[in-house]
Amino acid sequence: MSTSQEPRIVAPDGGAVRELLRVTAPVDLGAIDPRSTPGLPVAEMDGGRRKTWAREQVELVGEELGRQQEMLFAMAQAGSERPAHRVLLVLQAMDCGGKDGTIKRVAGAMNPLGLHIRSFGPPTPQELRHDFLWRIRRALPPPGYVGMFNRSHYEDVLVARVASLVPEGTWRARYDEINSFERELTGSGVTLVKVMLHISYAEQGERLLERLTDPRKHWKYNPSDVDARARWDDYQAAYAEALSRCATDAAPWFVVPADRKWYRDWAVAHLLRETFDTLDLGYPAADFDVARERERLRTGGAGADGAPEMNGR
């Protein structure tokens, strides 16, 4: 007789991942080890199977995310009296930080019809004619959707700062603008999950070399990545200030150590699951008589007098 147990989601060690990875100002990225694994329940693993175990857990958490996403979508579609929630995952990272991979792994179990994924590159000429938040507002997920931003409005206090794309007075004023914008979002039913995927200088170098070595990954390489790498310290300082200035109670920042891809995916999956748990989600009650509809189905759609109902056709 088999004694194996059904696979189950194992709770993180030390408390919720939302608390373990949440940053407080001032932020010191140098004090956060990109290869660390906060919350990973090591006691659950057998024979050093951390990578395999974590990926199995991501699949299980993904199933739960799919169920929660369906409830989020159903509540909005049914016009529930509860607030129409939206969840927005904001991913920021240095080049090769794993934004694409995180979205692929974590969103994989969700229904694509309820996802709203957007990527932000350099502003287009049209976007430059507007304020820096204009393109962000246009990309927000509708009620009931899970949005995922690959880069975001924070590029305008990161790249814009390091590359001197705008005067210092301009990018410094944007911290307050971002905080005001995010207060507006959270006040209108958007739940923000802001994640910095924190990789090391050495890990980034290995990933860039891999892109140059594998012809299938040449399309992912951009010579400008090396130029940005040369400004590593400047970008770390820009990230630290952005996280410090824009980590609020309503829209906190989370730093996920991301040198280990399997831990990165595990941590972000749990961040989303724990966020869904705060939203009091549920399937909406039917707005029709369920017993009557069962009877109509049994009788081939007959009405109370036995005559078929025509439904206006």
Side-chain angles (χ1 to χ4, degrees):
M1 180 184 229
S2 175
T3 59
S4 62
Q5 297 179 342
E6 286 292 323
R8 61 186 177 87
I9 297 174
V10 178
D13 272 355
V17 173
R18 282 180 61 86
E19 297 305 320
L20 295 173
L21 300 183
R22 181 171 178 167
V23 301
T24 56
V27 175
D28 180 7
L29 289 174
I32 302 174
D33 182 359
R35 292 188 64 77
S36 62
T37 57
L40 197 72
V42 180
E44 291 287 334
M45 295 167 212
D46 178 23
R49 294 177 59 250
R50 293 190 300 172
K51 183 185 296 188
T52 301
W53 182 90
R55 288 179 173 169
E56 291 170 351
Q57 285 289 296
V58 168
E59 290 185 9
L60 292 174
V61 174
E63 294 174 6
E64 176 65 13
L65 290 177
R67 187 181 69 85
Q68 292 172 316
Q69 178 211 21
E70 184 179 62
M71 289 190 289
L72 180 80
F73 188 78
M75 288 173 64
Q77 295 299 305
S80 170
E81 293 182 358
R82 300 181 186 181
H85 293 294
R86 291 176 276 177
V87 174
L88 177 57
L89 173 65
V90 173
L91 291 175
Q92 287 287 159
M94 295 291 290
D95 294 320
C96 296
K99 300 179 295 298
D100 290 343
T102 301
I103 291 174
K104 179 179 179 180
R105 293 284 185 181
V106 176
M110 296 189 196
N111 187 333
L113 294 178
L115 289 174
H116 191 82
I117 301 173
R118 294 293 182 270
S119 180
F120 295 95
T124 66
Q126 180 189 27
E127 290 168 345
L128 287 171
R129 290 194 290 270
H130 299 270
D131 72 273
F132 76 103
L133 292 172
W134 181 79
R135 64 175 182 164
I136 306 300
R137 291 182 183 277
R138 289 166 55 88
L140 292 171
Y145 280 71
V146 176
M148 296 187 177
F149 280 0
N150 182 334
R151 302 187 188 272
S152 67
H153 42 299
Y154 283 93
E155 292 294 288
D156 290 281
V157 291
L158 296 170
V159 176
R161 167 179 172 164
V162 176
S164 300
L165 301 181
V166 295
E168 180 175 348
T170 299
W171 60 257
R172 285 205 173 275
R174 288 174 175 170
Y175 296 123
D176 288 338
E177 293 180 67
I178 288 173
N179 286 335
S180 177
F181 171 61
E182 291 180 351
R183 281 195 301 272
E184 175 191 332
L185 292 183
T186 57
S188 64
V190 179
T191 298
L192 285 163
V193 185
K194 302 186 301 187
V195 174
M196 180 204 175
L197 303 175
H198 182 41
I199 64 168
S200 64
Y201 183 81
E203 179 68 18
Q204 187 199 50
E206 291 181 11
R207 294 182 187 182
L208 285 171
L209 183 59
E210 182 181 2
R211 290 181 179 184
L212 286 171
T213 304
D214 187 346
R216 295 171 300 177
K217 295 186 177 182
H218 286 173
W219 67 274
K220 301 179 74 173
Y221 182 84
N222 190 318
S224 66
D225 295 343
V226 176
D227 298 329
R229 179 172 166 81
R231 305 288 302 275
W232 181 272
D233 290 343
D234 294 332
Y235 272 105
Q236 295 297 291
Y239 266 105
E241 184 164 8
L243 270 58
S244 298
R245 295 282 300 274
C246 299
T248 64
D249 288 341
W253 267 106
F254 305 94
V255 173
V256 173
D259 272 14
R260 304 177 193 270
K261 297 178 183 179
W262 51 267
Y263 172 79
R264 171 202 74 196
D265 299 337
W266 178 89
V268 175
H270 274 281
L271 278 173
L272 277 178
R273 183 184 64 84
E274 293 168 2
T275 298
F276 275 123
D277 286 344
T278 69
L279 299 182
D280 190 26
L281 299 175
Y283 288 103
D287 58 358
F288 50 84
D289 186 330
V290 176
R292 179 174 182 274
E293 292 305 306
R294 282 203 189 105
E295 180 62 18
R296 292 183 62 239
L297 182 62
R298 186 185 68 82
T299 60
D305 59 358
E309 292 187 3
M310 303 304 292
N311 294 320
R313 290 195 291 271

